[in-house]
Amino acid sequence: MSSERGPALPFLPGCAFRDPTKTSFHRSQTLGYKNGFAFSRLPTVGIGGERLYVNQLSQAELDELSNTRPTLTYGQARQAPPSGFIPAHVAFDKKILKFDAYFQEDVPLSTEEHYRIRQVGIYYYLEDDSICVIEPVVKNSGIPQGKLIRRHRVPKNDRGEHYHWKDLNRGMDITMYGRTYHIVDCDPFTQVLRFYAMWDDTNSMFGENRPYIIHYYLADDTVEVREVHKHNDGRDPFPVLIKRQRLPKTFVEKQKTFPSCVLEISDQEVLEWYTAKDFAVGKSTTLLGRNFFIYDCDEFTRNFYRDKFGITDFQPVEIKEKPPEEVPQVIPPYNGYGFLEDSLQNCFSLFPKPPRKDIIKMLENDHKVLRYQVALESPNPEDRKRRFILSYFLSNDMISIYEPPVRNSGIIGGKYLGKTRIAKPGSTTDNAVYYGPSDFTIGSTIEVFGHRFVITDADEYVLNYMESNAERFPAATLQSLRDHFRPRQVVEETAKSDVPALGSSQQELDELIVRVQEELKLHNYLNNSSIREALLRCDKDGSGVLDKAKFLSLCNSLSVPTNAVLVNKLIDLCSCGEDKINYRDFLRAFPS
């Protein structure tokens, strides 16, 4: 009798119930007979008649059996026979790699030497990857020599790795038990074929011709490709492009189901491997998808190919690097800030330097300034009355503009334009042309950043400087200044002379009026009718005489250049005493 516990009931007397559907409690029979032969079978039901699913096939296994009909029909596929196994102690018996090396030993207790160089031989046994270091014995050296490191597998690091023949090569340093050995040479058995090649990668973006060294190791037919780094080439200092390994040359014809990428390549997938006969000077070879052109090899490689294959042509191929494509330098447009030459230096260097200055010119023309009086050309009547002083500095060809303050004018005077170079209208950043003293003639107009100024006067120093350097200035500029200063010089000479220039004051007045009229032709903005009407309006009694202070104030309001030398001389001749003036004689210079 069997009893079952109900769900969540403790296994105690009175808590178990008998299952009335279970009547058979014997074990299933596992022995059977077929065609007179006994065979064992797995039970299908357990005690009590419950069906067993442990020994039965699952639905997934049944589906797999239904789909493996070829295997059931023809049997399991035959595996390829394994290649013949040769143990290492047989394949590499008595094969030793010998490297010539040296190490530096400090001599702390000697006054004659501070260190000595000791030559050793490093022996690498291929059969068990063991190493021993032996120093040749020199008689009467006084140094313990002979076997420095006994033959055994030398640890490489703290991770349990040992030195391998791949870690040994000429020109390398190897550290064993705290002592660093520098390998300088090896014996003929450890021979390596060295080829100098170029990889042309110019077809890809940012590609270039890059030099490489191809090493072919005759000991195991492996190939290594090392990069050749140049100073400041901008590349990471990774020495190896392709690590030392056997490289496949021709693959076996692959089926469509064969994966295109595998982790390891065996002899079953490769029909032919690269050998020494596949490398030659002047030919190209493809290694792992990269096309290398071999242009030269070392002397040992030449001797090897001469003795082994009978090849005598080892003429090196001259590699001509393609000149880099010249990219025209595009100068961005001038943004208006700073000087053009100063801003241009930002396009030539990452750390711009100030443009060079003409020191000789600065020393010769130090404190030499040409000053001009200019008037603002403007439709606004108030602006037409403003007068400015334009200063040209000969030491650096810069210009500054200053406005003398005028009381009760409503305009704040002072600096109008700081020292800078002013380009002529129409000039470009590629061909900038700046204003110079040759452009400053009396009556000429200059444009300063959108504002137009008319030159009305100049210092006598300007005329004296140009006359002393007449070969450097145009004749028209010099003649313009001479014509401007000639009437002024005549008036000054007349004022200094005791004899009247024309014999009488009336004749002098008539001559001066004519000269004033010639000078006032430059001031084409004057309105003679307005001047005449304003003076007549102020003379209420019609006497022809006005107060001198009132007369000067009225002239300034009408933009009459009273500060000119000839106009001042005319006012002096028309004056009646110290505070009166005969304006009718003055108006003769302003005909209607």
Side-chain angles (χ1 to χ4, degrees):
M1 180 180 296
S2 67
S3 60
E4 270 190 337
R5 290 177 294 163
L9 293 178
F11 187 57
L12 295 174
C15 296
F17 299 91
R18 180 176 177 273
D19 188 359
T21 60
K22 294 182 180 181
T23 57
S24 179
F25 301 99
H26 65 275
R27 298 184 61 183
S28 299
Q29 182 62 262
T30 58
L31 179 64
Y33 289 88
K34 187 175 183 180
N35 298 329
F37 294 93
F39 67 95
S40 60
R41 58 186 179 186
L42 298 177
T44 58
V45 295
I47 297 176
E50 294 182 356
R51 184 172 180 82
L52 297 177
Y53 294 96
V54 177
N55 298 326
Q56 305 298 322
L57 294 176
S58 63
Q59 185 63 35
E61 292 174 338
L62 293 175
D63 295 340
E64 183 180 358
L65 288 176
S66 64
N67 294 329
T68 54
R69 293 178 182 177
T71 303
L72 296 176
T73 304
Y74 302 103
Q76 295 291 336
R78 294 182 180 180
Q79 299 291 336
S83 57
F85 173 73
I86 301 177
H89 66 274
V90 176
F92 301 107
D93 184 29
K94 297 181 181 179
K95 293 184 178 180
I96 305 172
L97 306 181
K98 179 181 179 296
F99 299 89
D100 297 329
Y102 68 89
F103 67 93
Q104 178 178 318
E105 183 182 35
D106 294 335
V107 184
L109 301 179
S110 176
T111 59
E112 298 180 357
E113 58 179 350
H114 300 287
Y115 65 91
R116 61 172 63 101
I117 301 298
R118 300 175 61 177
Q119 300 179 2
V120 298
I122 301 177
Y123 297 87
Y124 184 91
Y125 298 86
L126 295 174
E127 58 179 315
D128 58 354
D129 298 328
S130 59
I131 298 176
C132 75
V133 179
I134 299 177
E135 181 182 12
V137 177
V138 179
K139 292 183 178 181
N140 299 325
S141 64
I143 303 174
Q145 295 175 323
K147 184 178 292 186
L148 302 182
I149 300 178
R150 64 176 179 85
R151 178 181 172 181
H152 69 292
R153 297 187 68 190
V154 179
K156 182 180 179 180
N157 48 40
D158 298 336
R159 296 188 296 272
E161 298 177 354
H162 297 82
Y163 277 110
H164 196 261
W165 54 264
K166 296 181 180 180
D167 302 318
L168 305 177
N169 203 345
R170 291 188 300 179
M172 295 180 58
D173 292 334
I174 178 173
T175 303
M176 293 182 289
Y177 297 110
R179 181 176 288 170
T180 301
Y181 301 88
H182 182 74
I183 301 175
V184 296
D185 202 359
C186 58
D187 62 350
F189 177 72
T190 321
Q191 42 185 272
V192 179
L193 304 182
R194 183 177 286 102
F195 302 92
Y196 303 99
M198 293 289 293
W199 175 31
D200 189 359
D201 192 32
T202 55
N203 294 328
S204 62
M205 183 179 294
F206 309 114
E208 58 182 353
N209 285 324
R210 301 172 58 181
Y212 289 89
I213 296 179
I214 301 176
H215 289 158
Y216 183 87
Y217 295 87
L218 296 173
D220 55 357
D221 297 328
T222 56
V223 180
E224 178 190 55
V225 181
R226 303 181 69 89
E227 295 191 19
V228 177
H229 289 281
K230 297 181 180 179
H231 187 61
N232 294 332
D233 59 359
R235 297 190 176 274
D236 293 331
F238 296 118
V240 179
L241 177 67
I242 301 177
K243 69 176 183 179
R244 184 174 175 179
Q245 57 181 307
R246 295 184 68 192
L247 295 181
K249 182 181 179 182
T250 307
F251 286 91
V252 179
E253 235 181 89
K254 299 178 183 178
Q255 299 179 359
K256 294 183 179 180
T257 58
F258 186 81
S260 60
C261 180
V262 293
L263 296 178
E264 295 181 358
I265 299 177
S266 62
D267 293 334
Q268 299 180 10
E269 292 87 15
V270 179
L271 187 63
E272 184 181 3
W273 300 86
Y274 271 103
T275 59
K277 64 181 180 181
D278 298 319
F279 300 92
V281 176
K283 295 183 179 180
S284 299
T285 181
T286 302
L287 305 178
L288 298 184
R290 293 178 174 87
N291 191 17
F292 295 91
F293 177 75
I294 301 175
Y295 63 88
D296 200 2
C297 61
D298 61 356
E299 186 63 28
F300 173 79
T301 306
R302 296 189 184 98
N303 297 332
F304 176 82
Y305 275 85
R306 189 181 294 110
D307 300 337
K308 184 76 174 179
F309 302 105
I311 299 175
T312 58
D313 185 13
F314 300 101
Q315 182 66 28
V317 180
E318 184 180 358
I319 301 297
K320 295 182 179 180
E321 296 185 1
K322 297 180 181 179
E325 183 180 355
E326 294 185 0
V327 179
Q329 186 177 18
V330 179
I331 304 299
Y334 178 55
N335 56 9
Y337 292 97
F339 298 112
L340 176 61
E341 295 81 0
D342 196 14
S343 300
L344 194 61
Q345 297 300 320
N346 294 276
C347 306
F348 298 146
S349 175
L350 184 62
F351 300 98
K353 298 180 180 179
R356 291 187 176 182
K357 299 179 181 179
D358 192 348
I359 304 298
I360 304 299
K361 181 179 179 180
M362 294 176 62
L363 294 176
E364 291 179 350
N365 300 287
D366 190 23
H367 300 297
K368 292 183 179 180
V369 183
L370 305 182
R371 291 181 176 86
Y372 301 85
Q373 180 183 6
V374 295
L376 183 60
E377 201 176 72
S378 173
N380 190 358
E382 287 76 12
D383 289 338
R384 288 199 298 265
K385 302 175 186 178
R386 301 169 66 180
R387 297 295 179 265
F388 301 86
I389 303 299
L390 186 146
S391 301
Y392 185 89
F393 299 88
L394 295 171
S395 60
N396 52 14
D397 300 328
M398 291 190 180
I399 294 175
S400 68
I401 300 178
Y402 175 80
E403 183 178 11
V406 179
R407 296 183 62 183
N408 300 326
S409 63
I411 298 175
I412 301 176
K415 182 187 292 186
Y416 184 81
L417 177 68
K419 292 175 64 174
T420 184
R421 300 177 69 182
I422 302 176
K424 293 183 179 180
S427 63
T428 60
T429 55
D430 299 332
N431 186 20
V433 182
Y434 298 96
Y435 278 112
S438 302
D439 304 312
F440 299 151
T441 60
I442 302 299
S444 63
T445 303
I446 61 173
E447 185 172 342
V448 181
F449 302 117
H451 299 275
R452 295 170 61 87
F453 293 88
V454 179
I455 299 178
T456 60
D457 199 359
D459 283 347
E460 291 186 7
Y461 176 76
V462 178
L463 178 61
N464 297 334
Y465 178 80
M466 288 190 176
E467 286 181 342
S468 59
N469 301 276
E471 69 280 357
R472 296 167 52 185
F473 302 100
T477 304
L478 187 56
Q479 187 61 36
S480 171
L481 291 171
R482 287 172 179 172
D483 294 342
H484 175 72
F485 282 99
R486 184 177 295 110
R488 185 182 303 179
Q489 292 173 354
V490 171
V491 172
E492 291 177 355
E493 292 175 359
T494 303
K496 294 179 182 179
S497 175
D498 295 335
V499 182
L502 299 178
S504 65
S505 61
Q506 186 62 35
Q507 292 178 351
E508 181 182 0
L509 179 61
D510 295 339
E511 181 67 21
L512 185 58
I513 288 175
V514 173
R515 293 174 182 172
V516 171
Q517 289 177 350
E518 293 178 359
E519 183 177 357
L520 292 179
K521 290 180 180 180
L522 301 175
H523 304 272
N524 51 10
Y525 56 85
L526 295 176
N527 192 340
N528 296 348
S529 299
S530 300
I531 296 173
R532 181 178 294 274
E533 292 176 1
L535 293 177
L536 293 175
R537 193 180 304 111
C538 291
D539 187 12
K540 297 181 180 180
D541 54 1
S543 61
V545 178
L546 291 177
D547 185 67
K548 194 172 184 178
K550 187 176 183 180
F551 170 80
L552 293 175
S553 176
L554 185 61
C555 289
N556 290 333
S557 64
L558 296 174
S559 302
V560 177
T562 56
N563 53 352
V565 177
L566 294 179
V567 178
N568 283 331
K569 184 62 178 177
L570 180 59
I571 293 175
D572 293 340
L573 291 179
C574 297
S575 298
C576 301
E578 296 182 359
D579 56 349
K580 299 294 182 179
I581 186 172
N582 185 358
Y583 71 89
R584 291 180 179 177
D585 291 337
F586 181 80
L587 286 177
R588 291 173 58 190
F590 300 87
S592 59

Short mmCIF file of all heavy atoms in Angstrom, two decimals, residues 64 72 97 103 118 120 134 137 295 298 321 357 448 509 516 529 537-538:
data_model
loop_
_atom_site.label_atom_id
_atom_site.label_comp_id
_atom_site.label_asym_id
_atom_site.label_seq_id
_atom_site.Cartn_x
_atom_site.Cartn_y
_atom_site.Cartn_z
N GLU A 64 15.43 15.71 -34.35
CA GLU A 64 16.80 15.64 -34.89
C GLU A 64 17.03 14.30 -35.59
O GLU A 64 17.66 14.24 -36.65
CB GLU A 64 17.80 15.82 -33.75
CG GLU A 64 19.25 15.84 -34.23
CD GLU A 64 20.23 16.02 -33.09
OE1 GLU A 64 19.76 16.17 -31.93
OE2 GLU A 64 21.43 16.03 -33.34
N LEU A 72 21.92 8.26 -40.97
CA LEU A 72 21.36 6.94 -40.67
C LEU A 72 21.54 5.99 -41.84
O LEU A 72 21.65 4.77 -41.67
CB LEU A 72 19.88 7.06 -40.32
CG LEU A 72 19.56 7.86 -39.05
CD1 LEU A 72 18.05 7.99 -38.87
CD2 LEU A 72 20.17 7.18 -37.82
N LEU A 97 69.97 27.52 -31.27
CA LEU A 97 70.14 28.89 -31.76
C LEU A 97 71.15 29.59 -30.85
O LEU A 97 70.95 29.64 -29.64
CB LEU A 97 68.81 29.66 -31.76
CG LEU A 97 67.65 29.01 -32.51
CD1 LEU A 97 66.42 29.92 -32.43
CD2 LEU A 97 68.00 28.72 -33.95
N PHE A 103 76.85 42.22 -21.73
CA PHE A 103 76.18 42.96 -20.67
C PHE A 103 77.20 43.86 -19.99
O PHE A 103 78.42 43.63 -20.06
CB PHE A 103 75.51 42.02 -19.66
CG PHE A 103 76.47 41.20 -18.84
CD1 PHE A 103 76.93 41.64 -17.59
CD2 PHE A 103 76.93 39.98 -19.30
CE1 PHE A 103 77.80 40.88 -16.85
CE2 PHE A 103 77.80 39.21 -18.55
CZ PHE A 103 78.25 39.67 -17.31
N ARG A 118 81.20 42.67 -20.75
CA ARG A 118 81.49 41.24 -20.77
C ARG A 118 80.66 40.57 -21.86
O ARG A 118 79.44 40.73 -21.93
CB ARG A 118 81.17 40.62 -19.40
CG ARG A 118 81.99 41.25 -18.27
CD ARG A 118 81.60 40.73 -16.91
NE ARG A 118 81.82 39.29 -16.79
CZ ARG A 118 81.60 38.61 -15.66
NH1 ARG A 118 81.18 39.26 -14.56
NH2 ARG A 118 81.81 37.31 -15.61
N VAL A 120 79.12 37.42 -23.92
CA VAL A 120 78.56 36.11 -23.59
C VAL A 120 77.94 35.50 -24.83
O VAL A 120 77.74 36.19 -25.86
CB VAL A 120 77.52 36.21 -22.46
CG1 VAL A 120 78.13 36.72 -21.19
CG2 VAL A 120 76.34 37.09 -22.90
N ILE A 134 76.63 31.36 -21.51
CA ILE A 134 78.01 30.97 -21.26
C ILE A 134 78.92 32.11 -21.66
O ILE A 134 78.78 32.68 -22.76
CB ILE A 134 78.37 29.69 -22.03
CG1 ILE A 134 77.47 28.52 -21.59
CG2 ILE A 134 79.84 29.34 -21.85
CD1 ILE A 134 77.71 27.24 -22.36
N VAL A 137 85.87 31.73 -21.42
CA VAL A 137 86.85 31.85 -20.35
C VAL A 137 88.11 32.51 -20.89
O VAL A 137 88.64 32.10 -21.93
CB VAL A 137 87.17 30.47 -19.75
CG1 VAL A 137 88.24 30.59 -18.67
CG2 VAL A 137 85.90 29.83 -19.19
N TYR A 295 61.97 46.43 -52.77
CA TYR A 295 62.92 47.20 -53.57
C TYR A 295 64.37 46.95 -53.21
O TYR A 295 65.27 47.38 -53.95
CB TYR A 295 62.62 48.70 -53.45
CG TYR A 295 62.77 49.28 -52.07
CD1 TYR A 295 63.99 49.77 -51.63
CD2 TYR A 295 61.69 49.34 -51.19
CE1 TYR A 295 64.13 50.30 -50.37
CE2 TYR A 295 61.82 49.87 -49.92
CZ TYR A 295 63.04 50.35 -49.52
OH TYR A 295 63.18 50.88 -48.26
N ASP A 298 69.21 42.80 -47.73
CA ASP A 298 70.53 42.94 -47.13
C ASP A 298 71.53 41.97 -47.78
O ASP A 298 71.18 41.15 -48.65
CB ASP A 298 70.46 42.74 -45.63
CG ASP A 298 69.96 41.35 -45.26
OD1 ASP A 298 69.61 40.58 -46.17
OD2 ASP A 298 69.92 41.04 -44.05
N GLU A 321 59.49 59.06 -54.02
CA GLU A 321 58.26 59.45 -53.33
C GLU A 321 57.52 60.50 -54.14
O GLU A 321 58.12 61.43 -54.70
CB GLU A 321 58.59 60.00 -51.94
CG GLU A 321 59.22 58.97 -51.01
CD GLU A 321 59.41 59.52 -49.63
OE1 GLU A 321 59.04 60.70 -49.41
OE2 GLU A 321 59.94 58.79 -48.77
N LYS A 357 59.30 95.35 -38.83
CA LYS A 357 59.25 96.79 -39.00
C LYS A 357 60.54 97.29 -39.63
O LYS A 357 61.61 96.68 -39.44
CB LYS A 357 59.02 97.49 -37.65
CG LYS A 357 57.71 97.11 -36.98
CD LYS A 357 57.56 97.82 -35.64
CE LYS A 357 56.26 97.42 -34.95
NZ LYS A 357 56.10 98.09 -33.64
N VAL A 448 38.14 108.54 -45.50
CA VAL A 448 38.60 107.87 -44.29
C VAL A 448 37.42 107.10 -43.70
O VAL A 448 36.54 107.69 -43.05
CB VAL A 448 39.15 108.88 -43.27
CG1 VAL A 448 39.63 108.16 -42.02
CG2 VAL A 448 40.27 109.70 -43.88
N LEU A 509 45.00 146.85 -50.73
CA LEU A 509 43.73 146.21 -50.46
C LEU A 509 43.16 145.54 -51.70
O LEU A 509 42.67 144.41 -51.64
CB LEU A 509 42.75 147.24 -49.89
CG LEU A 509 41.33 146.72 -49.57
CD1 LEU A 509 41.39 145.63 -48.51
CD2 LEU A 509 40.44 147.88 -49.11
N VAL A 516 42.65 136.85 -52.06
CA VAL A 516 41.68 136.17 -51.20
C VAL A 516 40.63 135.45 -52.02
O VAL A 516 40.20 134.33 -51.71
CB VAL A 516 41.06 137.17 -50.21
CG1 VAL A 516 39.90 136.53 -49.46
CG2 VAL A 516 42.10 137.65 -49.22
N SER A 529 26.09 135.02 -51.40
CA SER A 529 24.85 135.80 -51.21
C SER A 529 24.40 135.76 -49.76
O SER A 529 23.97 136.76 -49.18
CB SER A 529 23.75 135.25 -52.12
OG SER A 529 24.13 135.37 -53.48
N ARG A 537 22.11 142.62 -42.89
CA ARG A 537 21.02 142.54 -41.93
C ARG A 537 21.49 143.01 -40.55
O ARG A 537 20.73 143.59 -39.77
CB ARG A 537 20.50 141.11 -41.85
CG ARG A 537 19.16 140.98 -41.13
CD ARG A 537 18.67 139.54 -41.07
NE ARG A 537 18.57 138.96 -42.38
CZ ARG A 537 19.36 137.99 -42.84
NH1 ARG A 537 20.29 137.51 -42.04
NH2 ARG A 537 19.20 137.52 -44.05
N CYS A 538 22.73 142.77 -40.24
CA CYS A 538 23.26 143.20 -38.94
C CYS A 538 23.54 144.71 -38.91
O CYS A 538 23.53 145.32 -37.83
CB CYS A 538 24.55 142.44 -38.64
SG CYS A 538 24.27 140.68 -38.31
#
